[in-house]
Amino acid sequence: MKIIPEQFHELETICNTINDDNARCVTFISLHGAEGSSSACISIARRLQSQNKSVLIIDLNPISSFNIDEHLPNLTNEWRFDDISCQLSVLPYKEVNILTIKNLSAIESAKNKQVLNEAIIRLKQEYDYILLDMSPALKLNRNNVPLHSISLCSDLTLVTVGLGINDEESLCEGVRELKQAGHSNIKVLVSQHDFAPLGERILLFLESRKEKWPKLCTLLKNKIHKQKWLFKHY
């Protein structure tokens, strides 16, 4: 029996979910940005490729597209979804294949649900998996590909969230937006943790209770300030 290294356990779980759902087209999307959606997309692509699967990443995030300028000598090949150029303009990037939005000549072709779905069907003839890296669900931008445009072709939508960055309200709002756009198979992927040191969080809690217990909160705050280890990042 082959033992999976511990550092790959989470990737293995995500890949198992993709396989169990028979999801050949997977959408990666964050709520506001900086939650690690693109990083998760690349990691999953590499993991699937390690299983001898062919993978294509389609970068559809105009707000924060893949930074590939320094890695590729030629970014002049423009492409669009409504002709064969999307198949001819695939570029290698960090061991994966990618179509970058920086070269997308006609954003309107990506906003048409039927056109986009037909393009994904053509690309599926060459790749086992298509991974869509989308712009944040809760950020408006006129160059965004609408959420409803990819609902027809996407088999699984992974919403990446960062604990300490996103709250429950924004997550519910993001999932609601996706459901209204026609996404039915939605799963949440916790990509990172970014919590303030424990001391800061305890002080904030005590501050919110000081009107009810002023003396106790003052006593506890004085004791906590003396514990330097509570204010270190780990």
Side-chain angles (χ1 to χ4, degrees):
M1 181 177 69
K2 187 176 182 180
I3 303 299
I4 301 171
E6 183 178 353
Q7 63 268 31
F8 293 123
H9 282 183
E10 291 184 9
L11 290 182
E12 191 71 15
T13 299
I14 299 169
C15 290
N16 286 341
T17 299
I18 292 173
N19 291 330
D20 291 343
D21 290 6
N22 194 27
R24 292 189 58 198
C25 182
V26 182
T27 297
F28 289 78
I29 190 167
S30 62
L31 299 175
H32 300 286
E35 288 97 335
S37 181
S38 298
S39 297
C41 184
I42 291 178
S43 295
I44 295 302
R46 288 176 174 171
R47 182 60 180 155
L48 290 170
Q49 286 184 162
S50 73
Q51 299 172 348
N52 297 319
K53 303 296 184 181
S54 57
V55 183
L56 172 66
I57 294 176
I58 303 180
D59 167 28
L60 295 177
N61 187 353
I63 296 175
S64 180
S65 59
F66 282 89
N67 184 22
I68 61 179
D69 299 67
E70 298 178 357
H71 302 274
L72 295 173
N74 185 3
L75 288 175
T76 60
N77 295 331
E78 292 190 342
W79 62 278
R80 49 194 299 145
F81 281 108
D82 53 4
D83 61 33
I84 198 173
S85 62
C86 65
Q87 294 161 265
L88 299 178
S89 302
V90 173
L91 299 169
Y93 171 66
K94 292 188 176 181
E95 302 174 9
V96 298
N97 291 318
I98 184 171
L99 275 172
T100 171
I101 196 171
K102 290 184 177 181
N103 287 18
L104 180 60
S105 63
I107 191 69
E108 295 305 317
S109 68
K111 293 181 178 181
N112 187 304
K113 181 187 295 187
Q114 296 298 333
V115 169
L116 186 55
N117 185 56
E118 290 173 5
I120 296 299
I121 290 174
R122 294 199 306 271
L123 290 166
K124 281 181 178 179
Q125 296 175 12
E126 301 182 38
Y127 296 94
D128 295 314
Y129 294 96
I130 311 294
L131 307 185
L132 306 176
D133 185 47
M134 284 290 292
S135 54
L138 300 180
K139 273 193 175 181
L140 299 178
N141 185 302
R142 66 179 181 177
N143 290 322
N144 284 357
V145 175
L147 295 177
H148 67 82
S149 296
I150 60 171
S151 61
L152 187 60
C153 63
S154 182
D155 304 311
L156 171 64
T157 302
L158 293 176
V159 181
T160 56
V161 299
L163 298 181
I165 298 177
N166 304 125
D167 54 26
E168 184 179 357
E169 182 179 356
S170 63
L171 176 58
C172 291
E173 182 182 355
V175 171
R176 183 169 57 252
E177 291 279 347
L178 286 164
K179 287 183 176 179
Q180 289 177 349
H183 293 254
S184 56
N185 189 11
I186 303 171
K187 291 183 172 61
V188 175
L189 170 61
V190 178
S191 62
Q192 58 183 296
H193 301 73
D194 188 16
F195 290 117
L198 181 58
E200 293 180 18
R201 286 180 278 147
I202 295 175
L203 290 177
L204 284 174
F205 175 78
L206 293 174
E207 185 68 20
S208 68
R209 299 293 189 274
K210 68 178 183 180
E211 291 186 6
K212 188 173 183 180
W213 304 303
K215 292 184 178 179
L216 177 60
C217 288
T218 300
L219 175 64
L220 292 175
K221 287 170 68 175
N222 290 335
K223 290 183 177 294
I224 290 168
H225 275 299
K226 296 178 181 179
Q227 304 298 316
K228 302 299 183 183
W229 64 275
L230 287 174
F231 296 89
K232 293 181 180 179
H233 287 271
Y234 292 95

